[in-house]
């Protein structure tokens, strides 16, 4: 009895194989091969391949195009694995991988780690979550933008983001600040709008004594979310920003604080915030009025029913900023 032959394929990030050989081939041929690898556990019909890769009209018959593609792909596999024969077997109406060769995909290992983490608890769950995070070395087939790839890419991204959301509270309790920053950094690039990633990034930066970095991260997040969705960050992120701003001032030297205060007085601008933060500011102002006996004014500006929420709100913001600047 011969030893089992195993081939490991990496699909998360750049396409790779365990034999550490460069994968050469045209864009369509490589996408075709990757499709066969992803679906290695079942037989793949000719009709499925034709529908997936030859939706448009071809000059010759589709069947002839499919046969040529299979010949090309077999040539790529022969070059990658010269010691393995007949990796792809043709059966009536379909194609299968040679049952004597076992394919192991990092996507399958990643998905298994995610599912195991859901069933586990305590330290075992923590270990499984970290394993899943480490297996996600990049977006699914990052160099391939075929339609069938994009669907699976989003599928694995969703898995990864859920794993990150699950492991971050545990890392926070364990005070693993660098791990938090690493995980949030990659997750943020996938979906910056998930507030947890900015929140934990800022918490880690503050805990590491870097409030100025937390302020910087907040401003990046705020600008992107305003530009993309026309909304302000949630109140809990704004509160963390206020904390980071306060800590940054306390960490400054006396002359830096004096300079900072003077600069804010000279260049005072309108302050934009969420409604919850605005309520708290109004409450503070009311208490100040009661103690000082001074008067204050509150002006409500309405854009009207015909206003375009994002566009007109941004225009009003620019006007207010400019007016306060030139006061």
């Amino acid at each position: 009895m011969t030893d089992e032959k195993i081939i490991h394929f990496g699909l998360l990030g750049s396409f790779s194989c365990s034999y550490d050989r460069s994968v050469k081939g045209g864009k369509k041929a490589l996408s075709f091969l990757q499709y066969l690898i992803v679906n290695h556990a079942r037989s793949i019909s000719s009709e499925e391949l034709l529908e997936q890769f030859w939706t448009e009209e071809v000059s010759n018959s589709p069947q002839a195009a499919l046969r040529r593609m299979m010949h090309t792909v077999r040539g790529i596999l022969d070059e990658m694995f010269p010691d393995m024969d007949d990796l792809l077997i043709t059966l009536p109406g379909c194609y299968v991988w040679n049952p004597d060769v076992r394919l192991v995909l990092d996507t399958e290992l990643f998905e298994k780690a995610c599912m195991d983490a859901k069933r586990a608890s305590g330290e075992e769950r923590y270990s499984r979550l970290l394993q899943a995070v480490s297996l996600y070395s990049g977006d699914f087939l990052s160099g391939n933008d075929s339609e069938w790839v994009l669907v699976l890419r989003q599928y694995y991204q969703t898995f990864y983001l859920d794993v990150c959301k699950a492991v971050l509270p545990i890392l926070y309790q364990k005070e693993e600040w660098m791990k938090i920053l690493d995980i949030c950094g990659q997750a943020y690039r996938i979906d910056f709008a998930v507030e947890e990633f900015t929140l934990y990034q800022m918490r880690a930066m503050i805990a590491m004594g870097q409030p100025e970095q937390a302020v910087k991260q907040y401003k990046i997040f705020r600008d992107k979310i305003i530009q993309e969705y026309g909304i302000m960050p949630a109140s809990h992120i704004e509160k963390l920003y206020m904390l980071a701003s306060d800590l940054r001032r306390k960490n400054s030297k006396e002359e830096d604080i004096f300079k900072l205060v003077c600069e804010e007085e000279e260049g005072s601008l309108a302050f934009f915030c969420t409604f919850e933060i605005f309520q708290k500011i109004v409450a503070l102002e009311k208490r100040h009025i009661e103690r000082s006996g001074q008067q204050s004014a509150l002006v409500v500006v309405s854009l009207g029913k015909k206003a375009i929420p994002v566009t007109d709100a941004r225009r009003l913001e620019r006007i207010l900023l400019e007016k306060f600047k030139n006061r």
Side-chain angles (χ1 to χ4, degrees):
M1 183 176 179
T2 58
D3 294 335
E4 182 184 28
K5 295 179 180 179
I6 302 175
I7 302 175
H8 292 263
F9 281 108
L11 305 178
L12 293 172
S14 300
F15 180 49
S16 62
C17 73
S18 57
Y19 281 65
D20 198 25
R21 295 191 179 98
S22 59
V23 185
K24 299 177 182 178
K27 186 176 180 180
K28 187 167 185 176
L30 285 179
S31 182
F32 189 91
L33 172 59
Q34 290 161 355
Y35 187 86
L36 295 174
I37 292 170
V38 169
N39 297 283
H40 69 96
R42 62 182 179 86
S43 61
I44 308 172
S45 69
S46 301
E47 288 76 11
E48 177 182 343
L49 293 171
L50 290 170
E51 184 178 348
Q52 191 66 245
F53 290 92
W54 286 279
T55 53
E56 73 281 1
E57 291 292 330
V58 293
S59 56
N60 298 320
S61 70
Q63 289 290 346
L66 175 57
R67 286 194 296 270
R68 287 195 299 272
M69 179 61 76
M70 288 302 302
H71 177 76
T72 300
V73 167
R74 283 192 172 103
I76 295 173
L77 289 173
D78 288 342
E79 188 173 344
M80 291 173 65
F81 313 106
D83 55 336
M84 297 185 187
D85 298 326
D86 300 323
L87 284 174
L88 285 172
I89 299 174
T90 303
L91 297 178
C94 67
Y95 301 92
V96 296
W97 285 87
N98 190 325
D100 294 331
V101 179
R102 184 160 68 94
L103 270 60
V104 178
L105 314 185
D106 61 350
T107 49
E108 295 172 343
L109 298 175
F110 169 71
E111 193 168 351
K112 183 179 184 302
C114 292
M115 300 307 295
D116 288 344
K118 287 185 177 181
R119 291 189 289 266
S121 60
E123 284 300 313
E124 183 184 354
R125 178 171 179 267
Y126 173 61
S127 177
R128 297 293 186 184
L129 288 170
L130 286 184
Q131 180 188 13
V133 168
S134 65
L135 284 168
Y136 194 91
S137 54
D139 289 338
F140 178 74
L141 292 175
S142 57
N144 186 343
D145 290 328
S146 302
E147 187 174 347
W148 72 270
V149 170
L150 298 180
V151 175
L152 287 173
R153 184 174 298 162
Q154 186 174 6
Y155 171 78
Y156 290 115
Q157 283 178 344
T158 301
F159 258 99
Y160 177 70
L161 295 178
D162 287 344
V163 166
C164 291
K165 292 176 190 176
V167 79
L168 284 173
I170 304 174
L171 291 172
Y172 184 73
Q173 290 177 353
K174 293 179 177 290
E175 299 184 1
E176 295 279 2
W177 311 127
M178 288 306 300
K179 285 184 181 178
I180 288 175
L181 292 179
D182 288 342
I183 290 173
C184 287
Q186 181 161 324
Y188 185 87
R189 286 190 290 272
I190 295 174
D191 189 351
F192 79 90
V194 179
E195 292 177 347
E196 285 98 321
F197 304 141
T198 294
L199 186 68
Y200 278 100
Q201 274 182 316
M202 292 176 66
R203 284 175 174 173
M205 291 167 178
I206 290 172
M208 293 171 67
Q210 300 173 357
E212 64 282 351
Q213 292 299 318
V215 169
K216 182 179 179 181
Q217 183 59 41
Y218 165 82
K219 291 180 178 179
I220 293 172
F221 173 72
R222 179 198 61 193
D223 293 346
K224 289 185 72 173
I225 205 166
I226 289 175
Q227 182 178 4
E228 188 73 21
Y229 300 107
I231 60 175
M232 289 292 294
S235 60
H236 54 278
I237 293 182
E238 285 204 339
K239 289 174 185 175
L240 202 59
Y241 161 65
M242 290 180 177
L243 171 63
S245 299
D246 185 52
L247 289 172
R248 185 178 62 172
R249 288 175 175 81
K250 288 179 180 177
N251 288 341
S252 302
K253 297 178 181 178
E254 291 182 6
E255 59 270 22
D256 294 331
I257 295 174
F258 181 76
K259 182 180 178 182
L260 189 63
V261 171
C262 291
E263 285 178 351
E264 288 183 352
E265 285 296 326
E266 291 174 2
S268 58
L269 299 174
F271 174 67
F272 291 87
C273 59
T274 61
F275 183 70
E276 184 178 348
I277 297 296
F278 176 69
Q279 284 181 306
K280 288 180 168 47
I281 292 173
V282 171
L284 288 171
E285 182 66 13
K286 285 174 64 179
R287 287 198 290 271
H288 173 70
I289 291 170
E290 290 172 359
R291 289 195 300 268
S292 65
Q294 295 178 351
Q295 293 184 344
S296 184
L298 177 65
V299 179
V300 177
V301 179
S302 174
L303 292 173
K305 294 181 179 180
K306 295 183 179 180
I308 303 172
V310 176
T311 305
D312 289 341
R314 294 297 300 279
R315 190 178 301 156
L316 175 62
E317 178 182 343
R318 287 195 299 271
I319 291 171
L320 289 173
L321 287 171
E322 189 64 28
K323 291 296 182 182
F324 272 81
K325 186 178 180 180
N326 295 328
R327 264 181 28 173

